[in-house]
Amino acid sequence: AKEAGRARMTLYDPSMDADREQRNALELDLRIAIESGDLTLAYQPLVDAATQALTGVEALVRWNRPGHGPVSPEVFIPIAETSGLIESLGLFVLRKACETAKQWPELNVSVNVSPGQFRNPAFTDYVRYVLKQTEIEASRITLEITEGYMIQNPQRTRQSIERLKGLGVKVALDDFGSGFSSIGYLRQFGFDRIKIDRSLVMGVNEDKRQREMLQATVALARSLDIPVTAEGIETEGQAVAMRLFGCDCLQGYLFGKPMVAEQITDMLNELRAA
Ligand code: C2E
Ligand code: CA
Ligand code: CA
Ligand code: CA
């Protein structure tokens, strides 16, 4: 009887229906948000490690779901990936970031690209199209990709990166150190930059082993002549350490949280006036 009970449980679990229903509702709302242009972008400062001068921003998508409030991209990006919405979401983000960046000629702009976009053979074509449409200087755009897809499809990744670089954009490896990638592997992809994941940076002043691993990681990247950004910097101590290890670019709440475009413009105006 116990066995049968368990079997029935796996066949019918009302809480699973509730989950699925919630997910479907979220997916539907997301579809509507994309179609009606209700997603927005926040921009987080990227600073020079030596001078702490603002050198760029990372565009991060934001969704304020009607009746629910803000939903984290960590929640809705994976749903966009599995429901075929990532193409249009990604196109929106890229176009919006390029359009907005035109008012900040002195800044570089990083845009996250998810595996579902990168996998599309037409991805390079639509990057080319957006660059042309928005008349942005390609060299100011960095596309950030994560390692998951890259490891599964090294050959195609290499080709895609080459094509993108042919357009003049830069390509960065995001979240480095959070997964399984070996650094020896990196050279062959031709990344213009590596971003060290926040999970590694966090422990830099607490954990000796983590500190040594971080130090070795940055040193290896630099021995391949690849510049390194440290993300998730929250304290002065972390900033000092990461700079010491050889990161040339820093990002984190210490320098600024993701903010609306107008705030970036204000920051630039203050810098220009100074
Ligand atoms: P990510 O690309 O690694 O972006 C950095 C995330 O860390 C952002 O979270 C940012 O707000 C957060 N962060 C930055 N500095 C600090 C810090 O000092 N402390 C802490 N605690 N957090 C910090 P966010 O905006 O919630 O984005 C989460 C992830 O969602 C991103 O991680 C990225 O993987 C994905 N994502 C965000 N926007 C987009 C997008 O437009 N397209 C795609 N494909 N993915 C996106
Ligand atoms: Ca990123
Ligand atoms: Ca990252
Ligand atoms: Ca991350």
Side-chain angles (χ1 to χ4, degrees), residues 58 112 144 146 174-176 195-198 231 251:
E58 178 175 357
N112 292 287
E144 299 190 359
T146 49
D174 203 357
D175 295 350
F176 187 72
K195 294 187 77 173
I196 305 275
D197 195 58
R198 181 168 71 88
E231 61 178 32
Q251 174 179 9

Side-chain angles (χ1 to χ4, degrees), residues 28-29 44-45 58 67 93 116 140 151 154 159 168 176 180 220 225 229-230 238 243 252 254 273:
L28 188 62
D29 282 356
Q44 186 176 28
E58 178 175 357
V93 170
R140 287 176 50 213
I151 288 165
Q159 285 166 358
F176 187 72
F180 304 98
L220 265 159
D225 279 324
T229 299
Q238 289 167 340
R243 181 185 162 201
L254 180 66

Side-chain angles (χ1 to χ4, degrees), residues 152-195:
Q152 285 161 23
N153 307 274
Q155 193 64 39
R156 287 183 61 181
T157 302
R158 200 172 308 124
Q159 285 166 358
S160 302
I161 291 177
E162 221 159 88
R163 277 204 301 268
L164 288 169
K165 290 177 73 169
L167 300 178
V169 300
K170 302 208 162 68
V171 182
L173 177 61
D174 203 357
D175 295 350
F176 187 72
S178 65
F180 304 98
S181 54
S182 99
I183 199 140
Y185 200 51
L186 284 182
R187 193 206 307 264
Q188 55 178 317
F189 289 104
F191 286 110
D192 297 293
R193 175 168 292 279
I194 291 170
K195 294 187 77 173

